[in-house]
Structures are given as structure tokens and as C-alpha cells.
Amino acid sequence: MNKTTDIDSIVKMLKEADQPKSDFVLLMDSFKDPYLVLIACILSLRTNDKTTYPATLRMLKLGKTPKDFAKCDVKKLEKAIYPVGFYANKAKQIIELSKELVEKYDSQVPNSIEELTKFKGVGRKTANLTISLGFNEPAICVDVHVHRIFNRLGYIKTKTPDETEFILREKLPQKYWIDINTLLVTHGQNICKPIKPLCDRCPISKYCEKNL
């Protein structure tokens, strides 16, 4: 087997490395409610974890259910989530999405990517994360870390996160689908950074194309 395709060893080593997770990743992992995963993921888009984490905690003081946010004052929500990126748009999006959940879905978050992506502003990344963390069902959430690291390893050769997701659906064993996002986000934040990755500290460096 080619080193770059030894995904079992790669996942095992990343789990054993036990790299520190950001507070936001830990918070997302603790959620068992699809709705909380969904709205927290919306906040996180185009915003770093250090900003998203306290903003999510402030948001949760205003409510934790679709009914809570369906009637939430938009200015109050804007103030709570500031300074996440596009905070005004995200506040409106969360309120409108919550209203739609209450009125059309009996306050229940749908558990299919097809249904989730019907909501305005909900892309495949957010939908997949909601399925995997919120429902604990197999789904591959591909963000910039997952896309970057799998390409650096040579496990795939893709140009976009969406392309990466569909290739991984065919290639990555389903037993890893739920965990892979947290593992690679954590690895990407600590070691395999976009610029100046810490290759000398990488537990899976021998599987990286740079070292083959």
C-alpha cells in the first residue's frame, strides 16, 4: 500500500497525538442538539475560533431553541455575536432560519443534507457538520483544513472543498466520516498550518507527499 493511502495509520496517529483542541471545537463536540450545531456553525463561517467561541456563548444566553430565536430581536442578537464576520447578516439568517424551522418543520432540524441546504446560507459544510455532530450520523464535513491536509498528504487531488467532499465519500472509509473533521481541524490549527506548517512536529509527516 502506498504511504499516502494508509488512512488507517494516519487516523490512528492523529488520535494518539491528542493535540489540543480549540475551545470552539470542544464546544461543538459537546453539542448533541442539531439546532445548536447548525447555528454555531453559521457563526463560525469566515471567522476564527477565538472569536467564534465567546460569541457562541453570548448567543446561547439569548436562547437555545428555534422558538427562542424566531422571536429574538435582531439588534440584540447582532450585539451578542459581534464581532464575528458578517455578524449583521448572520443574525438575520439565524432568526429567519429559526422562524422557518418553527413554521415548516415543527421546530425540528431536518437530518438530510438535501433539506438542510434548502435553508438560505446553509452550504454543504454546515449541513454535513450538523448531520455528523448533531445527529451522530455519517457525514463528511470538509472545511479548509480537511481540504488542505488531505491534498498535502496526496490522499486526494482536488481543487475545491466540495470536490474534496465527493471524492472522500467514495474513498474514505465511512467509520472515519464523523471524526475526520475534528481530527484534521485540530491538526490544521496546531501543526499543518496554511503557511509555515510545523512539519518537524507532525506525527504523520512520513505519510506526507513532501517527504516521499
Side-chain angles (χ1 to χ4, degrees), residues 13-44:
M13 288 180 174
L14 287 176
K15 287 182 176 180
E16 291 176 347
D18 194 26
Q19 299 172 31
K21 298 178 182 178
S22 73
D23 288 335
F24 181 68
V25 169
L26 288 171
L27 182 63
M28 290 289 279
D29 284 349
S30 72
F31 288 150
K32 303 302 177 186
D33 183 338
Y35 177 70
L36 297 184
V37 174
L38 178 59
I39 60 175
C41 189
I42 289 171
L43 282 194
S44 74

PDB file of all heavy atoms in Angstrom, residues 13-44:
ATOM      1  N   MET A  13      -2.633   7.660  14.266  1.00  0.00           N
ATOM      2  CA  MET A  13      -1.583   8.536  14.779  1.00  0.00           C
ATOM      3  C   MET A  13      -2.129   9.892  15.207  1.00  0.00           C
ATOM      4  O   MET A  13      -1.687  10.461  16.209  1.00  0.00           O
ATOM      5  CB  MET A  13      -0.490   8.713  13.727  1.00  0.00           C
ATOM      6  CG  MET A  13       0.371   7.481  13.526  1.00  0.00           C
ATOM      7  SD  MET A  13       1.646   7.757  12.283  1.00  0.00           S
ATOM      8  CE  MET A  13       2.566   6.211  12.416  1.00  0.00           C
ATOM      9  N   LEU A  14      -3.081  10.421  14.462  1.00  0.00           N
ATOM     10  CA  LEU A  14      -3.672  11.701  14.833  1.00  0.00           C
ATOM     11  C   LEU A  14      -4.445  11.590  16.149  1.00  0.00           C
ATOM     12  O   LEU A  14      -4.403  12.503  16.986  1.00  0.00           O
ATOM     13  CB  LEU A  14      -4.584  12.207  13.723  1.00  0.00           C
ATOM     14  CG  LEU A  14      -3.894  12.736  12.463  1.00  0.00           C
ATOM     15  CD1 LEU A  14      -4.925  13.117  11.408  1.00  0.00           C
ATOM     16  CD2 LEU A  14      -3.002  13.930  12.783  1.00  0.00           C
ATOM     17  N   LYS A  15      -5.133  10.476  16.337  1.00  0.00           N
ATOM     18  CA  LYS A  15      -5.859  10.276  17.596  1.00  0.00           C
ATOM     19  C   LYS A  15      -4.887  10.133  18.763  1.00  0.00           C
ATOM     20  O   LYS A  15      -5.108  10.690  19.843  1.00  0.00           O
ATOM     21  CB  LYS A  15      -6.763   9.046  17.494  1.00  0.00           C
ATOM     22  CG  LYS A  15      -7.995   9.247  16.618  1.00  0.00           C
ATOM     23  CD  LYS A  15      -8.874   8.011  16.603  1.00  0.00           C
ATOM     24  CE  LYS A  15     -10.147   8.249  15.802  1.00  0.00           C
ATOM     25  NZ  LYS A  15     -11.036   7.051  15.767  1.00  0.00           N
ATOM     26  N   GLU A  16      -3.815   9.397  18.547  1.00  0.00           N
ATOM     27  CA  GLU A  16      -2.828   9.187  19.608  1.00  0.00           C
ATOM     28  C   GLU A  16      -2.053  10.463  19.920  1.00  0.00           C
ATOM     29  O   GLU A  16      -1.596  10.650  21.055  1.00  0.00           O
ATOM     30  CB  GLU A  16      -1.863   8.067  19.208  1.00  0.00           C
ATOM     31  CG  GLU A  16      -2.505   6.687  19.178  1.00  0.00           C
ATOM     32  CD  GLU A  16      -1.561   5.608  18.678  1.00  0.00           C
ATOM     33  OE1 GLU A  16      -0.498   5.977  18.123  1.00  0.00           O
ATOM     34  OE2 GLU A  16      -1.892   4.415  18.828  1.00  0.00           O
ATOM     35  N   ALA A  17      -1.919  11.354  18.942  1.00  0.00           N
ATOM     36  CA  ALA A  17      -1.185  12.608  19.162  1.00  0.00           C
ATOM     37  C   ALA A  17      -1.904  13.494  20.171  1.00  0.00           C
ATOM     38  O   ALA A  17      -1.279  14.265  20.899  1.00  0.00           O
ATOM     39  CB  ALA A  17      -1.009  13.347  17.842  1.00  0.00           C
ATOM     40  N   ASP A  18      -3.220  13.369  20.223  1.00  0.00           N
ATOM     41  CA  ASP A  18      -4.031  14.094  21.212  1.00  0.00           C
ATOM     42  C   ASP A  18      -3.656  15.576  21.260  1.00  0.00           C
ATOM     43  O   ASP A  18      -3.328  16.120  22.310  1.00  0.00           O
ATOM     44  CB  ASP A  18      -3.868  13.455  22.593  1.00  0.00           C
ATOM     45  CG  ASP A  18      -4.930  13.928  23.580  1.00  0.00           C
ATOM     46  OD1 ASP A  18      -6.025  14.318  23.133  1.00  0.00           O
ATOM     47  OD2 ASP A  18      -4.651  13.925  24.798  1.00  0.00           O
ATOM     48  N   GLN A  19      -3.704  16.221  20.113  1.00  0.00           N
ATOM     49  CA  GLN A  19      -3.367  17.641  20.038  1.00  0.00           C
ATOM     50  C   GLN A  19      -4.459  18.481  20.695  1.00  0.00           C
ATOM     51  O   GLN A  19      -5.631  18.103  20.691  1.00  0.00           O
ATOM     52  CB  GLN A  19      -3.185  18.042  18.576  1.00  0.00           C
ATOM     53  CG  GLN A  19      -2.065  17.301  17.869  1.00  0.00           C
ATOM     54  CD  GLN A  19      -2.041  17.566  16.383  1.00  0.00           C
ATOM     55  OE1 GLN A  19      -2.412  18.631  15.925  1.00  0.00           O
ATOM     56  NE2 GLN A  19      -1.611  16.585  15.602  1.00  0.00           N
ATOM     57  N   PRO A  20      -4.097  19.622  21.271  1.00  0.00           N
ATOM     58  CA  PRO A  20      -5.092  20.458  21.958  1.00  0.00           C
ATOM     59  C   PRO A  20      -6.142  21.012  21.004  1.00  0.00           C
ATOM     60  O   PRO A  20      -5.810  21.569  19.952  1.00  0.00           O
ATOM     61  CB  PRO A  20      -4.250  21.578  22.570  1.00  0.00           C
ATOM     62  CG  PRO A  20      -3.002  21.618  21.748  1.00  0.00           C
ATOM     63  CD  PRO A  20      -2.747  20.202  21.338  1.00  0.00           C
ATOM     64  N   LYS A  21      -7.385  20.860  21.384  1.00  0.00           N
ATOM     65  CA  LYS A  21      -8.483  21.390  20.590  1.00  0.00           C
ATOM     66  C   LYS A  21      -8.794  22.816  21.028  1.00  0.00           C
ATOM     67  O   LYS A  21      -8.639  23.159  22.201  1.00  0.00           O
ATOM     68  CB  LYS A  21      -9.737  20.524  20.753  1.00  0.00           C
ATOM     69  CG  LYS A  21      -9.587  19.087  20.283  1.00  0.00           C
ATOM     70  CD  LYS A  21     -10.873  18.313  20.547  1.00  0.00           C
ATOM     71  CE  LYS A  21     -10.756  16.854  20.124  1.00  0.00           C
ATOM     72  NZ  LYS A  21     -11.989  16.088  20.412  1.00  0.00           N
ATOM     73  N   SER A  22      -9.241  23.624  20.097  1.00  0.00           N
ATOM     74  CA  SER A  22      -9.662  24.976  20.454  1.00  0.00           C
ATOM     75  C   SER A  22     -10.927  24.902  21.297  1.00  0.00           C
ATOM     76  O   SER A  22     -11.668  23.901  21.266  1.00  0.00           O
ATOM     77  CB  SER A  22      -9.940  25.809  19.197  1.00  0.00           C
ATOM     78  OG  SER A  22     -11.145  25.398  18.572  1.00  0.00           O
ATOM     79  N   ASP A  23     -11.189  25.949  22.060  1.00  0.00           N
ATOM     80  CA  ASP A  23     -12.399  25.974  22.896  1.00  0.00           C
ATOM     81  C   ASP A  23     -13.658  25.822  22.052  1.00  0.00           C
ATOM     82  O   ASP A  23     -14.623  25.178  22.471  1.00  0.00           O
ATOM     83  CB  ASP A  23     -12.471  27.289  23.683  1.00  0.00           C
ATOM     84  CG  ASP A  23     -11.440  27.355  24.797  1.00  0.00           C
ATOM     85  OD1 ASP A  23     -11.017  26.283  25.278  1.00  0.00           O
ATOM     86  OD2 ASP A  23     -11.065  28.476  25.192  1.00  0.00           O
ATOM     87  N   PHE A  24     -13.643  26.401  20.846  1.00  0.00           N
ATOM     88  CA  PHE A  24     -14.828  26.300  19.995  1.00  0.00           C
ATOM     89  C   PHE A  24     -15.043  24.873  19.501  1.00  0.00           C
ATOM     90  O   PHE A  24     -16.175  24.381  19.468  1.00  0.00           O
ATOM     91  CB  PHE A  24     -14.723  27.252  18.805  1.00  0.00           C
ATOM     92  CG  PHE A  24     -15.928  27.200  17.901  1.00  0.00           C
ATOM     93  CD1 PHE A  24     -17.157  27.653  18.332  1.00  0.00           C
ATOM     94  CD2 PHE A  24     -15.835  26.674  16.617  1.00  0.00           C
ATOM     95  CE1 PHE A  24     -18.283  27.588  17.513  1.00  0.00           C
ATOM     96  CE2 PHE A  24     -16.937  26.611  15.784  1.00  0.00           C
ATOM     97  CZ  PHE A  24     -18.169  27.069  16.232  1.00  0.00           C
ATOM     98  N   VAL A  25     -13.962  24.190  19.117  1.00  0.00           N
ATOM     99  CA  VAL A  25     -14.081  22.795  18.684  1.00  0.00           C
ATOM    100  C   VAL A  25     -14.605  21.936  19.830  1.00  0.00           C
ATOM    101  O   VAL A  25     -15.479  21.078  19.628  1.00  0.00           O
ATOM    102  CB  VAL A  25     -12.724  22.264  18.182  1.00  0.00           C
ATOM    103  CG1 VAL A  25     -12.774  20.751  17.986  1.00  0.00           C
ATOM    104  CG2 VAL A  25     -12.343  22.940  16.862  1.00  0.00           C
ATOM    105  N   LEU A  26     -14.113  22.156  21.032  1.00  0.00           N
ATOM    106  CA  LEU A  26     -14.596  21.410  22.200  1.00  0.00           C
ATOM    107  C   LEU A  26     -16.082  21.678  22.435  1.00  0.00           C
ATOM    108  O   LEU A  26     -16.843  20.760  22.766  1.00  0.00           O
ATOM    109  CB  LEU A  26     -13.795  21.802  23.444  1.00  0.00           C
ATOM    110  CG  LEU A  26     -12.351  21.289  23.511  1.00  0.00           C
ATOM    111  CD1 LEU A  26     -11.619  21.945  24.679  1.00  0.00           C
ATOM    112  CD2 LEU A  26     -12.324  19.771  23.655  1.00  0.00           C
ATOM    113  N   LEU A  27     -16.486  22.931  22.266  1.00  0.00           N
ATOM    114  CA  LEU A  27     -17.892  23.285  22.447  1.00  0.00           C
ATOM    115  C   LEU A  27     -18.760  22.589  21.413  1.00  0.00           C
ATOM    116  O   LEU A  27     -19.802  22.003  21.755  1.00  0.00           O
ATOM    117  CB  LEU A  27     -18.063  24.804  22.338  1.00  0.00           C
ATOM    118  CG  LEU A  27     -19.480  25.346  22.547  1.00  0.00           C
ATOM    119  CD1 LEU A  27     -19.965  25.060  23.964  1.00  0.00           C
ATOM    120  CD2 LEU A  27     -19.527  26.841  22.255  1.00  0.00           C
ATOM    121  N   MET A  28     -18.333  22.616  20.160  1.00  0.00           N
ATOM    122  CA  MET A  28     -19.099  21.960  19.106  1.00  0.00           C
ATOM    123  C   MET A  28     -19.196  20.456  19.349  1.00  0.00           C
ATOM    124  O   MET A  28     -20.249  19.844  19.142  1.00  0.00           O
ATOM    125  CB  MET A  28     -18.451  22.230  17.749  1.00  0.00           C
ATOM    126  CG  MET A  28     -18.572  23.654  17.268  1.00  0.00           C
ATOM    127  SD  MET A  28     -20.255  24.116  16.772  1.00  0.00           S
ATOM    128  CE  MET A  28     -20.311  23.412  15.126  1.00  0.00           C
ATOM    129  N   ASP A  29     -18.098  19.860  19.806  1.00  0.00           N
ATOM    130  CA  ASP A  29     -18.109  18.427  20.092  1.00  0.00           C
ATOM    131  C   ASP A  29     -19.067  18.084  21.232  1.00  0.00           C
ATOM    132  O   ASP A  29     -19.575  16.963  21.315  1.00  0.00           O
ATOM    133  CB  ASP A  29     -16.701  17.940  20.455  1.00  0.00           C
ATOM    134  CG  ASP A  29     -15.804  17.807  19.227  1.00  0.00           C
ATOM    135  OD1 ASP A  29     -16.323  17.894  18.103  1.00  0.00           O
ATOM    136  OD2 ASP A  29     -14.579  17.627  19.405  1.00  0.00           O
ATOM    137  N   SER A  30     -19.304  19.047  22.119  1.00  0.00           N
ATOM    138  CA  SER A  30     -20.170  18.790  23.283  1.00  0.00           C
ATOM    139  C   SER A  30     -21.654  18.884  22.938  1.00  0.00           C
ATOM    140  O   SER A  30     -22.498  18.350  23.646  1.00  0.00           O
ATOM    141  CB  SER A  30     -19.849  19.777  24.410  1.00  0.00           C
ATOM    142  OG  SER A  30     -20.318  21.092  24.097  1.00  0.00           O
ATOM    143  N   PHE A  31     -21.969  19.582  21.844  1.00  0.00           N
ATOM    144  CA  PHE A  31     -23.365  19.719  21.441  1.00  0.00           C
ATOM    145  C   PHE A  31     -23.921  18.367  20.985  1.00  0.00           C
ATOM    146  O   PHE A  31     -23.282  17.646  20.233  1.00  0.00           O
ATOM    147  CB  PHE A  31     -23.507  20.707  20.279  1.00  0.00           C
ATOM    148  CG  PHE A  31     -23.298  22.146  20.657  1.00  0.00           C
ATOM    149  CD1 PHE A  31     -22.786  23.032  19.729  1.00  0.00           C
ATOM    150  CD2 PHE A  31     -23.626  22.615  21.914  1.00  0.00           C
ATOM    151  CE1 PHE A  31     -22.592  24.366  20.048  1.00  0.00           C
ATOM    152  CE2 PHE A  31     -23.444  23.945  22.251  1.00  0.00           C
ATOM    153  CZ  PHE A  31     -22.921  24.829  21.318  1.00  0.00           C
ATOM    154  N   LYS A  32     -25.114  18.055  21.433  1.00  0.00           N
ATOM    155  CA  LYS A  32     -25.810  16.869  20.941  1.00  0.00           C
ATOM    156  C   LYS A  32     -27.121  17.274  20.275  1.00  0.00           C
ATOM    157  O   LYS A  32     -27.919  16.431  19.885  1.00  0.00           O
ATOM    158  CB  LYS A  32     -26.094  15.907  22.107  1.00  0.00           C
ATOM    159  CG  LYS A  32     -24.846  15.482  22.882  1.00  0.00           C
ATOM    160  CD  LYS A  32     -23.813  14.821  22.002  1.00  0.00           C
ATOM    161  CE  LYS A  32     -22.548  14.471  22.771  1.00  0.00           C
ATOM    162  NZ  LYS A  32     -21.475  13.947  21.906  1.00  0.00           N
ATOM    163  N   ASP A  33     -27.300  18.564  20.160  1.00  0.00           N
ATOM    164  CA  ASP A  33     -28.520  19.135  19.589  1.00  0.00           C
ATOM    165  C   ASP A  33     -28.221  19.655  18.184  1.00  0.00           C
ATOM    166  O   ASP A  33     -27.391  20.550  18.017  1.00  0.00           O
ATOM    167  CB  ASP A  33     -28.998  20.281  20.489  1.00  0.00           C
ATOM    168  CG  ASP A  33     -30.301  20.903  20.023  1.00  0.00           C
ATOM    169  OD1 ASP A  33     -30.636  20.777  18.829  1.00  0.00           O
ATOM    170  OD2 ASP A  33     -30.976  21.532  20.854  1.00  0.00           O
ATOM    171  N   PRO A  34     -28.875  19.103  17.154  1.00  0.00           N
ATOM    172  CA  PRO A  34     -28.620  19.549  15.777  1.00  0.00           C
ATOM    173  C   PRO A  34     -28.804  21.048  15.573  1.00  0.00           C
ATOM    174  O   PRO A  34     -28.066  21.667  14.809  1.00  0.00           O
ATOM    175  CB  PRO A  34     -29.633  18.754  14.954  1.00  0.00           C
ATOM    176  CG  PRO A  34     -29.944  17.557  15.787  1.00  0.00           C
ATOM    177  CD  PRO A  34     -29.865  18.016  17.210  1.00  0.00           C
ATOM    178  N   TYR A  35     -29.769  21.631  16.269  1.00  0.00           N
ATOM    179  CA  TYR A  35     -30.019  23.063  16.114  1.00  0.00           C
ATOM    180  C   TYR A  35     -28.838  23.889  16.614  1.00  0.00           C
ATOM    181  O   TYR A  35     -28.419  24.854  15.959  1.00  0.00           O
ATOM    182  CB  TYR A  35     -31.292  23.467  16.846  1.00  0.00           C
ATOM    183  CG  TYR A  35     -31.577  24.951  16.783  1.00  0.00           C
ATOM    184  CD1 TYR A  35     -31.969  25.545  15.579  1.00  0.00           C
ATOM    185  CD2 TYR A  35     -31.440  25.761  17.911  1.00  0.00           C
ATOM    186  CE1 TYR A  35     -32.214  26.912  15.504  1.00  0.00           C
ATOM    187  CE2 TYR A  35     -31.686  27.122  17.847  1.00  0.00           C
ATOM    188  CZ  TYR A  35     -32.068  27.699  16.632  1.00  0.00           C
ATOM    189  OH  TYR A  35     -32.312  29.059  16.559  1.00  0.00           O
ATOM    190  N   LEU A  36     -28.284  23.519  17.758  1.00  0.00           N
ATOM    191  CA  LEU A  36     -27.149  24.259  18.297  1.00  0.00           C
ATOM    192  C   LEU A  36     -25.920  24.117  17.400  1.00  0.00           C
ATOM    193  O   LEU A  36     -25.173  25.071  17.196  1.00  0.00           O
ATOM    194  CB  LEU A  36     -26.828  23.789  19.712  1.00  0.00           C
ATOM    195  CG  LEU A  36     -27.915  24.008  20.768  1.00  0.00           C
ATOM    196  CD1 LEU A  36     -27.422  23.575  22.145  1.00  0.00           C
ATOM    197  CD2 LEU A  36     -28.363  25.466  20.797  1.00  0.00           C
ATOM    198  N   VAL A  37     -25.719  22.925  16.869  1.00  0.00           N
ATOM    199  CA  VAL A  37     -24.610  22.722  15.928  1.00  0.00           C
ATOM    200  C   VAL A  37     -24.812  23.611  14.700  1.00  0.00           C
ATOM    201  O   VAL A  37     -23.881  24.279  14.224  1.00  0.00           O
ATOM    202  CB  VAL A  37     -24.507  21.249  15.487  1.00  0.00           C
ATOM    203  CG1 VAL A  37     -23.447  21.091  14.397  1.00  0.00           C
ATOM    204  CG2 VAL A  37     -24.164  20.356  16.678  1.00  0.00           C
ATOM    205  N   LEU A  38     -26.026  23.648  14.206  1.00  0.00           N
ATOM    206  CA  LEU A  38     -26.348  24.400  12.999  1.00  0.00           C
ATOM    207  C   LEU A  38     -26.078  25.895  13.172  1.00  0.00           C
ATOM    208  O   LEU A  38     -25.369  26.503  12.357  1.00  0.00           O
ATOM    209  CB  LEU A  38     -27.815  24.171  12.618  1.00  0.00           C
ATOM    210  CG  LEU A  38     -28.371  24.921  11.408  1.00  0.00           C
ATOM    211  CD1 LEU A  38     -27.581  24.590  10.155  1.00  0.00           C
ATOM    212  CD2 LEU A  38     -29.848  24.586  11.224  1.00  0.00           C
ATOM    213  N   ILE A  39     -26.601  26.491  14.235  1.00  0.00           N
ATOM    214  CA  ILE A  39     -26.443  27.946  14.379  1.00  0.00           C
ATOM    215  C   ILE A  39     -25.015  28.316  14.788  1.00  0.00           C
ATOM    216  O   ILE A  39     -24.515  29.383  14.413  1.00  0.00           O
ATOM    217  CB  ILE A  39     -27.477  28.554  15.353  1.00  0.00           C
ATOM    218  CG1 ILE A  39     -27.365  27.967  16.758  1.00  0.00           C
ATOM    219  CG2 ILE A  39     -28.886  28.369  14.786  1.00  0.00           C
ATOM    220  CD1 ILE A  39     -28.293  28.653  17.770  1.00  0.00           C
ATOM    221  N   ALA A  40     -24.340  27.450  15.540  1.00  0.00           N
ATOM    222  CA  ALA A  40     -22.948  27.721  15.894  1.00  0.00           C
ATOM    223  C   ALA A  40     -22.056  27.637  14.661  1.00  0.00           C
ATOM    224  O   ALA A  40     -21.110  28.421  14.509  1.00  0.00           O
ATOM    225  CB  ALA A  40     -22.475  26.744  16.967  1.00  0.00           C
ATOM    226  N   CYS A  41     -22.355  26.690  13.788  1.00  0.00           N
ATOM    227  CA  CYS A  41     -21.585  26.559  12.551  1.00  0.00           C
ATOM    228  C   CYS A  41     -21.777  27.787  11.670  1.00  0.00           C
ATOM    229  O   CYS A  41     -20.822  28.273  11.055  1.00  0.00           O
ATOM    230  CB  CYS A  41     -21.986  25.294  11.808  1.00  0.00           C
ATOM    231  SG  CYS A  41     -20.919  24.917  10.395  1.00  0.00           S
ATOM    232  N   ILE A  42     -22.987  28.311  11.615  1.00  0.00           N
ATOM    233  CA  ILE A  42     -23.253  29.526  10.846  1.00  0.00           C
ATOM    234  C   ILE A  42     -22.395  30.672  11.366  1.00  0.00           C
ATOM    235  O   ILE A  42     -21.798  31.430  10.602  1.00  0.00           O
ATOM    236  CB  ILE A  42     -24.749  29.895  10.902  1.00  0.00           C
ATOM    237  CG1 ILE A  42     -25.571  28.893  10.087  1.00  0.00           C
ATOM    238  CG2 ILE A  42     -24.986  31.314  10.394  1.00  0.00           C
ATOM    239  CD1 ILE A  42     -27.072  29.037  10.239  1.00  0.00           C
ATOM    240  N   LEU A  43     -22.289  30.788  12.683  1.00  0.00           N
ATOM    241  CA  LEU A  43     -21.456  31.838  13.273  1.00  0.00           C
ATOM    242  C   LEU A  43     -19.999  31.682  12.887  1.00  0.00           C
ATOM    243  O   LEU A  43     -19.287  32.661  12.683  1.00  0.00           O
ATOM    244  CB  LEU A  43     -21.551  31.805  14.809  1.00  0.00           C
ATOM    245  CG  LEU A  43     -22.766  32.394  15.499  1.00  0.00           C
ATOM    246  CD1 LEU A  43     -22.460  32.560  16.987  1.00  0.00           C
ATOM    247  CD2 LEU A  43     -23.174  33.720  14.904  1.00  0.00           C
ATOM    248  N   SER A  44     -19.536  30.445  12.802  1.00  0.00           N
ATOM    249  CA  SER A  44     -18.114  30.178  12.599  1.00  0.00           C
ATOM    250  C   SER A  44     -17.623  30.472  11.186  1.00  0.00           C
ATOM    251  O   SER A  44     -16.414  30.599  10.972  1.00  0.00           O
ATOM    252  CB  SER A  44     -17.796  28.718  12.940  1.00  0.00           C
ATOM    253  OG  SER A  44     -18.276  27.839  11.939  1.00  0.00           O
TER     254      SER A  44
END
